[in-house]
Amino acid sequence: MSQHVSVRPAALWAFGIAVSLVLTACGGGGEAPGRGPAGAGAPVPVTTTVVQPRQWNDSVTALGTVNARESITVTAKVSEIVQRVHFESGDEVTAGSALVTLSGNQQQATLQAAEAAAIDADSQYRRGAELVESQLIARASVDTLRAERDAARATVAEMRANIGDRTVRAPFAGVLGIRQVSPGALVTPGTPIATLDDIRSVYVDFPVPETLLARVAPGQTVIGQVAARRGTRFEGTVQTIDARIDPNTRAVMVRAGFENAERLLRPGMLVEVRLQQAAREALMLPEIAVIQVGRDTFVFRVKDDDTVEQVPVTVGVREQGLVEVVEGLEAGTRIVVDGTGKLRPGMTITEGSVQEAKTPPADEAGAAGAAQ
């Protein structure tokens, strides 16, 4: 027991010596270089830049869908058998071109009967008109004959219109889609025969948030790109802005028109549109220079003595790795771009690089070697 009590003080004394050596090698337990009180330690290598205004084009980006200037699904007005089809899938047709002729034998026979009745009614009226001048019949009888003649003529016109409905024509010039009927098929009102689209020019409808509505106006240039034509830019103009804002999405629909002489844009295509804005001057910073902590946004400003301080800023648009500073900075201010993660207000910096900052200073490396 007495032997154990005499050894313990010696062990504590050896442990104290070891702790003292470790603290000496680590710089006495003080703050690490660059992390101590303001201005203490070696300068921290960072990358800086001087803020200068630059020309900037705001843009609104959205997704829209291509629509033909005129677009319909061709259908028949009556129920009848297809007698002849006058087109093939993909044909370009002019306005008034016959597309499908339906069977109309019964209507033709009815028309002939109506025409014969109209001729007879006209003859009866003419004869009555001659007799009334000779005062052989009453004028009221002539009026009746006139009414019968007019009714017969109306019947003929109706029958001709009915037969005209047996020929389906293109209401405007355009490109036909895939043919949906064949000779002998029975069609009814609403049966699709083919699609017809006028794509010499197209339009694209796309939503714009109401917060950006002030930036949109008719006549502005719109640049569109589609996945099917990578690298091809389609240029159009804003034609109209919808009168209403969708209360669910808080967005307004904007319609842009595009010339499509080469038929590269087709109805239904998804288009990425970019609405170009007028150029303006803005303070644009690299996005990595702006630090966001909770609701606070700030940058590190470099003072004349190469120390740094935090400056709260208000940011605007973010695009292409840049961010606009609306408030908090002035042109000519020097700020830290890269290496902000190891800075604290009051630290001293030196122009360097992130790689240099990760390499420990020579005196720190030597102390670490001595500790080993």
Side-chain angles (χ1 to χ4, degrees), residues 166-189:
R166 263 64 183 173
T167 301
V168 181
R169 300 182 181 275
F172 53 83
V175 180
L176 292 165
I178 296 176
R179 179 160 62 96
Q180 302 289 331
V181 297
S182 299
L186 173 64
V187 296
T188 59

Side-chain angles (χ1 to χ4, degrees), residues 309-323:
E309 60 180 347
Q310 286 184 359
V311 178
V313 295
T314 302
V315 299
V317 298
R318 295 175 182 262
E319 190 173 352
Q320 301 174 4
L322 299 176
V323 60

